[in-house]
Amino acid sequence: MPTPIRILLVDDHTLFRSGVRLLLQRHPEFEVVGEAVDGLDGVKRARQLQPDVVLMDLNMPGLSGLEAMQLIVEDLPDTAVLMLSVSEEADDLSTALHNGAAGYLLKNIEAESLVQAIKRAAAGEPVISEAMTAKLVMQFRAAHQTPAPVTAARDRLTARERETMVCVARGESNKEIARTLDVAESTVKIHVQNILKKLKLSSRVQIAVYAVEHGLDKTP
């Protein structure tokens, strides 16, 4: 049996944490290794437990979820931090993604969608609620009526890497991208790594944000 995905829950609402814990405990592929009541406690517990995934509330007293997320990402680059919030503000979403969050989910998410989101985050894939994805795209397009110059980016990326970037911006997994481009999944992984290296990005989420921000989220 594969090693379970180790999860840390960080939320100042005890009932919410308990509900999520009960949900995740029904799935043998998950192991809830700890809980934290606020951002500061979350950072301490993350450093101690080194989980695969942290489910982090955005708004908490003291150290905010955003501040805690940044510290965890800096200290534990192999840990994916998923923001789980009631906020539907596009600014909160874009700020979280720009600062290293592996994804952004709304607390009204369906149980099965949360399960799949955690699996994707643990696999290094970007995870954003569908409603928030639309808001993110609208925000960037409004802020960049004239897209930032992309000549340099296009020159650095091969045609296949640009196609891969478009797929990542759509939120497709490696398996889905492989199917779309009719290539091996291992080839997709190489393309993604090349994009990260060439554009000096650190996650698939940042690839998606970069693509939208620079007008590279559509097939040429």
Side-chain angles (χ1 to χ4, degrees):
M1 182 176 176
T3 302
I5 297 169
R6 303 173 71 254
I7 303 167
L8 172 65
L9 307 178
V10 186
D11 196 294
D12 59 326
H13 291 94
T14 303
L15 286 178
F16 184 80
R17 290 199 317 273
S18 298
V20 174
R21 174 185 277 274
L22 287 174
L23 166 66
L24 298 182
Q25 285 176 335
R26 298 174 187 167
H27 298 267
E29 61 267 47
F30 297 143
E31 178 186 1
V32 178
V33 295
E35 298 181 21
V37 299
D38 56 38
L40 183 59
D41 189 28
V43 173
K44 291 178 180 177
R45 296 286 282 163
R47 288 170 175 165
Q48 174 191 5
L49 299 168
Q50 299 190 15
D52 301 307
V53 176
V54 176
L55 290 182
M56 176 81 72
D57 188 17
L58 183 68
N59 297 311
M60 293 180 286
L63 192 69
S64 72
L66 181 60
E67 293 168 323
M69 177 271 294
Q70 290 175 279
L71 291 172
I72 292 172
V73 169
E74 182 178 338
D75 288 351
L76 305 169
D78 293 331
T79 295
V81 182
L82 279 178
M83 307 307 295
L84 195 56
S85 176
V86 296
S87 172
E88 297 186 31
E89 294 296 324
D91 286 343
D92 288 335
L93 168 64
S94 60
T95 299
L97 299 184
H98 272 301
N99 285 280
Y104 192 102
L105 306 173
L106 297 178
K107 284 190 173 180
N108 61 4
I109 189 172
E110 296 289 337
E112 184 55 34
S113 296
L114 177 60
V115 167
Q116 294 305 317
I118 293 172
K119 291 179 181 178
R120 291 181 63 185
E125 298 173 13
V127 183
I128 306 174
S129 294
E130 289 185 13
M132 297 306 293
T133 301
K135 291 188 177 187
L136 177 67
V137 172
M138 289 174 61
Q139 183 195 53
F140 276 129
R141 286 182 178 157
H144 302 277
Q145 294 295 333
T146 303
V150 296
T151 303
R154 287 202 173 112
D155 288 345
R156 288 196 294 269
L157 301 180
T158 66
R160 221 30 161 176
E161 288 164 357
R162 292 197 297 271
E163 291 174 342
T164 301
M165 173 178 271
V166 171
C167 294
V168 171
R170 290 183 192 139
E172 294 182 18
S173 66
N174 284 349
K175 185 177 293 186
E176 291 168 333
I177 296 173
R179 201 160 45 234
T180 299
L181 301 183
D182 194 24
V183 297
E185 192 171 344
S186 58
T187 301
V188 174
K189 291 179 181 178
I190 292 171
H191 289 328
V192 171
Q193 289 302 317
N194 287 342
I195 294 169
L196 292 170
K197 183 176 180 181
K198 290 179 179 181
L199 300 183
K200 298 181 179 179
L201 303 173
S202 60
S203 70
R204 292 171 67 100
V205 170
Q206 289 186 354
I207 291 177
V209 171
Y210 184 99
V212 173
E213 191 171 12
H214 292 80
L216 293 170
D217 57 320
K218 291 183 173 60
T219 304

